[in-house]
């Protein structure tokens, strides 16, 4: 380490570059303050006080690295080569903001430039980039170690760069975020799998107004000790020699030894928390903080090592005028136009038509779970980027529904693996895995346990494409066994589609039969966007009475069913004299509807539309059916109030009003907080063929 420090001092270029970077960031803070009224139209935070550690890290990253800077990291962004003008386009939310086109806040980067480290999108939610960042490191780990574990030895291994050229991941965090639960999930996986990641914690001792004494029992350095295999180092982040040398050593170890580190850098916060939360309101340590200002320290280091005062003054005054000029230019730049709101909600998919053989001749019917299993097996055999992880999906069990049975045996324990009980990690790591070109298929064990993962789904996964202006769509599949049957009880039966359909930026399938499930899984695989597939566990094995319709002949390998194409599985002619009804449904509802119409002998009066996918939703087919039939019933397994289906009901009412002969009606579960365990209570709670029959008769009488 002493060696490295000596070399830094001798290397005038490093010192000069660092000084230029620091004074640039410092001047930006000052210019933003001087122009507070204009610049603070949109909220921003700056790195003032944190410049040295950020500069030391940014200067040492390479294009093959992945960085997850947080909102205070503008010095790091400058150090990797971003221009002040470019950052100012973001502070002013301008159209040409290189990160997001004016969609997200200052210093919220996302970058995919060939000559710079890659920066996937990350949210403003503190700490939540830790899991996506660790996902990138897990992607490196998989590509470097297990790419050979391909089906029957086929396929090319991933290219593995020379050891010293291997990419690393930097996840930058404020100290207060380290107490968050998701951080523990990230550290756990990094330590467990020995992932090539550096967690950089910038400790200024403050949350917003809450201080360290109020918010933590230990600092990040001490906390890291609880994770075996995560090496932690604590440094003075205002000391350039110490910061640069430590980071150099740590990065070099991560590049070659492929293991995780945490660097805890103590720094003072010298500017406001953000432009909106001013330090005068609450800071009681400003004098002490100023005494640790990295600027005079770095200047002294340069003066002690061969630089002249005049030379440094020149750098500073040139920088000051550059920054002022850049702000004037940025202020003149165009704002986005209203049309710009509507781009990049999804990356375009090539899967738009149904192709392949859905029902091969002479095939025997199989249960839905087998269709899913074969779909995944075919995908894994064909695509080395495809891997599957979640709880209990590994070789020993192959999933609690045996939905992944034999896959680990066929493709190796590193391609099909168990995770700890970490739904946030399971969901959020896909952001990183996808960013390095992998296609993760993951699952949560039951829909009831999607909640701990929901934060990552909403905060990181769903918004990545939109907020990175199309640079970082997250290509992943999340399988979610869902639904009630046979006394699953309150924590293994819930329906959650209303919450998930409320998240924009993900596609959602809810198939009712095996052939659809297989075709939709294939479409999901080739879709560059995040996809959630709800798989009704009562349909998996068709053991529940009245669900034989979920079995199907196994579609051929080439069969693909695009999203957004509803299926009119029971079609009727338009009838003038007779009353007719369109039932709009999905999942288990399809079986209740089909059974009800059969038991009532009303197949020629009832059309049944299976939505298949809830987003995109095939409104065209729905409206066409409702307009033809004149009456409409929506059947859902969810509680009937405040849900996805209620929204659909309103939409149908609005679009089809002229053609309707009665109100659009809906049947769903009772509006109770949970599905009780007792079978009588469960039956009372959820719809059934009998209840749907009654509702149908009620509508016909209307
Ligand atoms: C999950 C979440 N909760 C609350 C906030 C509001 N918030 C923004 S910054 C901040 C303090 C973060 O402190 P720290 O991580 O130490 O970073 P610093 O701002 O001190 O650099 C809080 C609570 C947030 N962004 N995300």
């Amino acid at each position: 380490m002493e060696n490295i420090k000596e070399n830094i001092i001798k290397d005038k270029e490093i010192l000069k570059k660092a000084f230029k970077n620091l004074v640039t960031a410092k001047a930006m803070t000052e210019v933003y303050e001087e122009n507070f009224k204009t610049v603070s139209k949109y909220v921003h935070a700056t790195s003032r006080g944190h410049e040295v550690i950020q500069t030391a890290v940014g200067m040492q990253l390479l294009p093959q690295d992945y960085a997850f800077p947080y909102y205070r990291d503008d010095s790091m962004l400058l150090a990797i080569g971003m221009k002040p003008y470019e950052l100012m386009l973001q502070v002013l939310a301008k159209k040409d903001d290189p990160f997001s086109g004016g969609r997200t806040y200052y210093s919220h980067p996302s970058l995919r430039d060939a000559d710079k480290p890659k920066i996937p999108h990350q949210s403003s939610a503190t700490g939540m980039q830790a899991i996506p960042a660790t996902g990138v490191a897990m992607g490196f780990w998989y590509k470097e170690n297990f790419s050979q574990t391909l089906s029957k030895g086929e396929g090319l291994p991933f290219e593995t760069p020379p050891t010293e050229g291997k990419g690393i991941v930097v996840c930058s965090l404020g100290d207060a975020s380290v107490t968050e639960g998701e951080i523990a999930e990230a550290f756990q996986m990094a330590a467990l799998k020995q992932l090539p990641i550096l967690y950089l914690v910038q400790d200024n001792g403050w949350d917003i107004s809450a201080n360290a004494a109020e918010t933590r029992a230990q600092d990040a350095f001490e906390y890291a000790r609880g994770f075996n295999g995560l090496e932690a180092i604590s440094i003075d982040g205002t000391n350039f020699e110490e910061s640069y040398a430590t980071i150099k050593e740590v990065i070099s170890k991560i590049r070659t030894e492929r293991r995780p580190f945490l660097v805890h850098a103590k720094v003072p916060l010298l500017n406001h928390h953000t432009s909106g939360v001013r330090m005068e309101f609450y800071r009681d340590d400003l004098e002490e903080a100023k005494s640790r200002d990295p600027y005079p320290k770095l200047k002294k280091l340069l003066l002690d090592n061969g630089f002249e005062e005049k030379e440094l003054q020149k750098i500073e005054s040139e920088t000051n005028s550059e920054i002022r000029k850049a702000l004037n230019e940025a202020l003149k730049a165009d704002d986005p136009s209203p049309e710009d709101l509507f781009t990049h909600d999804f990356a375009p998919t090539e899967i738009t038509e149904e192709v392949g053989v859905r029902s091969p001749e002479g095939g025997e019917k199989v249960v839905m779970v087998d269709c899913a299993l074969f779909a995944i097996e075919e995908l894994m055999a064909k695509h080395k980027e495809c891997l599957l992880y979640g709880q209990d999906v590994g070789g020993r069990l192959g999933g609690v529904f045996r939905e992944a049975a034999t896959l680990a045996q066929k493709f190796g324990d590193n391609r099909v693996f168990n995770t700890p009980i970490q739904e946030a990690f399971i969901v959020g790591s896909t952001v990183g895995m996808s960013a390095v070109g992998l296609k993760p298929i993951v699952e949560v064990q039951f829909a009831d346990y999607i909640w701990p993962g929901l934060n990552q789904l909403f905060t990181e996964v769903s918004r990545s494409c939109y907020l990175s202006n199309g640079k970082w769509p997250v290509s992943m599949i999340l399988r979610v066994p869902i639904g009630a049957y046979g006394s699953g009880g309150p924590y293994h039966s819930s329906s959650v589609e209303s919450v998930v359909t409320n998240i924009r930026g993900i596609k959602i399938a809810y198939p009712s039969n095996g052939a659809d499930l297989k075709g939709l899984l294939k479409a999901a695989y080739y879709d560059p966007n995040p996809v959630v597939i709800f798989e009704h566990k009562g349909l998996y094995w068709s053991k529940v009475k009245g669900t034989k319709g979920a079995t199907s002949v196994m579609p051929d390998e080439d069969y693909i069913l695009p999203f957004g194409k509803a299926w009119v599985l029971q079609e009727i002619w338009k009838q003038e004299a007779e009353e007719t009804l369109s039932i709009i449904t999905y999942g288990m509802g399809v079986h209740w509807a089909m059974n009800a119409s059969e038991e009532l002998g009303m197949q020629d009066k009832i059309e049944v539309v299976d939505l298949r996918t809830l987003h995109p939703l095939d409104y065209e087919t729905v409206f066409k059916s409702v307009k033809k039939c004149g009456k409409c019933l929506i059947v859902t397994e969810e509680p009937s109030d405040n849900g996805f289906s209620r929204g659909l009901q309103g939409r149908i009412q609005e679009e089809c009003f002229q053609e309707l002969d009665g109100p659009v009606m809906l049947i769903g579960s009772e509006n109770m907080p949970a599905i009780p365990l007792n079978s009588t209570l469960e039956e009372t709670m959820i719809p059934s063929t009998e209840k749907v029959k009654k509702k149908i008769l009620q509508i016909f009488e209307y």
Side-chain angles (χ1 to χ4, degrees):
M1 180 75 85
E2 285 314 310
N3 261 354
I4 307 178
K5 281 191 187 166
E6 262 174 43
N7 288 340
I8 296 166
I9 299 169
K10 278 191 221 140
D11 192 331
K12 288 191 82 175
E13 272 316 300
I14 292 182
L15 291 182
K16 192 172 167 186
K17 205 169 164 192
F19 186 72
K20 170 81 184 168
N21 205 66
L22 185 152
V23 295
T24 303
K26 178 171 167 288
M28 285 167 73
T29 296
E30 288 161 5
V31 167
Y32 293 166
E33 277 303 297
E34 284 165 26
N35 296 275
F36 180 74
K37 279 242 159 72
T38 336
V39 174
S40 296
K41 175 173 179 192
Y42 308 110
V43 71
H44 68 264
T46 73
S47 58
R48 190 71 191 91
H50 294 220
E51 298 96 330
V52 151
I53 181 64
Q54 292 183 15
T55 302
V57 173
M59 280 173 68
Q60 300 188 67
L61 294 179
L62 300 174
Q64 62 267 44
D65 297 334
Y66 279 67
F68 289 73
Y70 81 118
Y71 55 80
R72 198 172 298 293
D73 274 328
D74 59 4
S75 292
M76 195 187 293
L77 296 175
L78 291 169
I80 65 165
M82 296 306 297
K83 302 274 169 283
Y85 173 73
E86 294 172 311
L87 298 187
M88 287 168 179
L89 289 176
Q90 197 180 37
V91 88
L92 299 168
K94 295 291 190 175
K95 182 182 171 77
D96 290 337
D97 144 31
F99 300 142
S100 76
R103 287 176 178 178
T104 195
Y105 321 93
Y106 182 58
S107 199
H108 281 58
S110 58
L111 202 64
R112 219 170 173 159
D113 289 359
D115 63 338
K116 298 195 186 71
K118 308 297 167 277
I119 308 183
H121 163 263
Q122 66 241 261
S123 72
S124 287
T126 54
M128 285 168 201
Q129 73 275 30
I131 285 176
T134 309
V136 171
M138 192 161 84
F140 281 160
W141 166 84
Y142 172 70
K143 286 168 86 169
E144 289 162 19
N145 295 302
F146 307 117
S147 51
Q148 324 60 329
T149 343
L150 296 169
S151 169
K152 303 169 203 107
E154 290 160 11
L156 290 170
F158 292 100
E159 292 146 38
T160 316
T163 307
E164 65 279 8
K166 284 181 180 168
I168 65 151
V169 184
V170 173
C171 173
S172 182
L173 297 156
D175 57 293
S177 71
V178 177
T179 59
E180 293 173 23
E182 287 192 3
I183 299 288
E185 294 196 15
F187 286 3
Q188 184 66 239
M189 286 302 274
L192 178 71
K193 297 210 178 283
Q194 291 294 284
L195 303 179
I197 185 165
L198 161 60
Y199 298 104
L200 171 70
V201 179
Q202 298 175 47
D203 186 355
N204 59 33
W206 288 96
D207 183 304
I208 295 183
S209 72
N211 64 21
E214 287 168 277
T215 53
R216 67 192 197 210
Q218 65 287 304
D219 67 25
F221 170 70
E222 293 159 332
Y223 184 54
R225 287 205 208 119
F227 297 88
N228 291 340
L230 172 60
E231 189 174 332
I233 301 165
S234 192
I235 60 168
D236 175 357
T238 66
N239 178 323
F240 184 71
E241 285 166 278
E242 189 180 354
S243 296
Y244 194 92
T246 307
I247 295 299
K248 190 171 173 70
E249 200 175 6
V250 165
I251 286 184
S252 146
K253 282 188 179 161
I254 301 177
R255 280 205 204 290
T256 52
E257 296 172 22
R258 314 309 272 162
R259 62 190 176 92
F261 279 79
L262 182 144
V263 171
H264 170 239
K266 282 171 282 186
V267 288
L269 179 61
L270 298 179
N271 193 26
H272 308 290
H273 167 69
T274 61
S275 50
V277 184
R278 318 291 289 172
M279 54 188 158
E280 308 80 47
F281 299 168
Y282 61 92
R283 288 283 296 274
D284 51 12
D285 66 335
L286 285 172
E287 280 314 305
E288 187 281 329
K290 273 186 204 143
S291 73
R292 292 188 284 135
D293 188 344
Y295 162 67
K297 287 190 186 180
L298 183 61
K299 192 168 171 187
K300 182 166 183 313
L301 184 71
L302 268 77
L303 291 173
D304 290 348
N305 288 284
F307 286 84
E308 298 289 327
E309 174 74 37
K310 253 172 116 182
E311 196 181 348
L312 300 187
Q313 272 174 7
K314 188 164 173 253
I315 295 176
E316 276 199 71
S317 63
E318 277 172 10
T319 306
N320 279 333
S321 45
E322 275 163 31
I323 296 306
R324 281 175 172 74
K325 202 169 142 227
L327 184 63
N328 282 337
E329 287 302 306
L331 283 166
K332 283 186 246 154
D334 288 341
D335 278 315
S337 346
E339 313 83 82
D340 295 325
L341 175 72
F342 300 102
T343 57
H344 304 301
D345 49 346
F346 290 104
T349 178
E350 286 173 5
I351 308 296
T352 51
E353 292 306 321
E354 189 172 1
V355 294
V357 181
R358 177 179 170 93
S359 196
E361 264 175 49
E364 280 191 16
K365 285 199 166 182
V366 295
V367 289
M368 187 157 138
V369 75
D370 281 348
C371 287
L373 191 59
F374 269 75
I376 308 278
E377 181 172 341
E378 287 164 4
L379 287 166
M380 293 191 85
K382 203 165 171 184
H383 302 286
K384 63 186 193 300
E385 310 78 10
C386 176
L387 66 174
L388 175 77
Y389 56 94
Q391 288 155 36
D392 300 300
V393 299
R396 229 172 269 124
L397 186 60
V400 291
F401 302 102
R402 314 304 318 280
E403 74 285 4
T406 71
L407 292 178
Q409 284 78 2
K410 286 181 181 137
F411 299 104
D413 294 333
N414 300 306
R415 251 183 109 187
V416 180
F417 59 90
N418 291 333
T419 62
I421 311 168
Q422 298 194 336
E423 285 80 7
F425 187 87
I426 291 168
V427 174
S429 59
T430 62
V431 174
M433 297 291 261
S434 155
V436 296
L438 296 170
K439 178 84 189 198
I441 302 177
V442 297
E443 63 171 64
V444 293
Q445 213 155 50
F446 293 89
D448 302 76
Y449 307 127
I450 200 172
W451 307 109
L454 210 63
N455 174 46
Q456 283 288 323
L457 192 64
F458 179 85
T459 309
E460 309 296 335
V461 174
S462 72
R463 297 166 161 210
S464 180
C465 184
Y466 189 68
L467 290 178
S468 68
N469 226 5
K471 289 193 292 293
W472 295 101
V474 177
S475 190
M476 59 85 91
I477 300 175
L478 171 60
R479 297 178 64 187
V480 183
I482 191 168
Y485 79 98
S487 289
Y491 291 94
H492 299 84
S493 310
S494 304
S495 291
V496 298
E497 60 269 27
S498 282
V499 172
V500 178
T501 48
N502 229 299
I503 304 176
R504 327 293 142 150
I506 50 180
K507 297 190 179 179
I508 303 159
Y510 198 149
S512 68
N513 64 79
D516 281 1
L517 176 54
K518 189 173 183 196
L520 289 166
L521 268 167
K522 292 287 175 79
Y525 187 85
Y526 297 110
D527 198 306
N529 297 290
V531 175
V532 173
I533 305 217
F534 290 120
E535 303 175 18
H536 200 294
K537 56 199 179 52
L539 300 178
Y540 264 157
W541 297 93
S542 284
K543 279 189 186 154
V544 182
K545 190 170 164 271
T547 59
K548 278 280 172 284
T551 60
S552 26
V553 173
M554 176 73 70
D556 274 355
E557 183 174 350
D558 62 359
Y559 178 64
I560 304 182
L561 179 59
F563 277 53
K565 299 233 188 271
W567 182 28
V568 186
L569 82 160
Q570 179 164 287
E571 195 169 2
I572 58 169
W573 298 111
K574 186 170 175 59
Q575 296 171 42
E576 300 299 339
E578 293 278 340
E579 293 271 301
T580 53
L581 170 70
S582 165
I583 300 187
I584 311 294
T585 184
Y586 56 95
M588 186 62 94
V590 172
H591 302 276
W592 292 326
M594 291 296 283
N595 297 338
S597 87
E598 190 186 335
E599 288 178 24
L600 291 168
M602 289 179 134
Q603 291 101 320
D604 56 347
K605 290 185 174 181
I606 296 175
E607 184 151 297
V608 179
V609 178
D610 180 352
L611 292 175
R612 284 174 162 159
T613 63
L614 308 187
H615 192 89
L617 196 147
D618 186 355
Y619 286 107
E620 200 184 323
T621 300
V622 169
F623 297 153
K624 202 170 142 208
S625 171
V626 175
K627 285 178 181 174
K628 174 171 70 179
C629 298
K631 285 189 167 161
C632 174
L633 172 66
I634 298 174
V635 180
T636 175
E637 187 174 328
E638 276 201 308
S640 59
D641 282 351
N642 304 332
F644 156 80
S645 298
R646 277 278 179 229
L648 179 60
Q649 181 187 22
R651 197 59 207 276
I652 294 173
Q653 191 93 345
E654 188 176 324
E655 294 284 337
C656 307
F657 186 73
Q658 298 286 352
E659 287 85 354
L660 284 168
D661 288 338
V664 177
M665 289 196 179
L666 181 145
I667 178 169
S669 287
E670 299 298 335
N671 292 290
M672 299 310 287
I675 301 173
L677 185 64
N678 175 279
S679 54
T680 305
L681 298 179
E682 183 193 65
E683 253 171 55
T684 315
M685 173 82 181
I686 59 175
S688 61
T689 299
E690 278 314 305
K691 292 183 197 176
V692 172
K693 270 163 53 181
K694 274 199 198 133
K695 195 81 185 177
I696 290 172
L697 293 175
Q698 200 187 327
I699 294 182
F700 274 111
E701 275 163 23
Y702 189 87

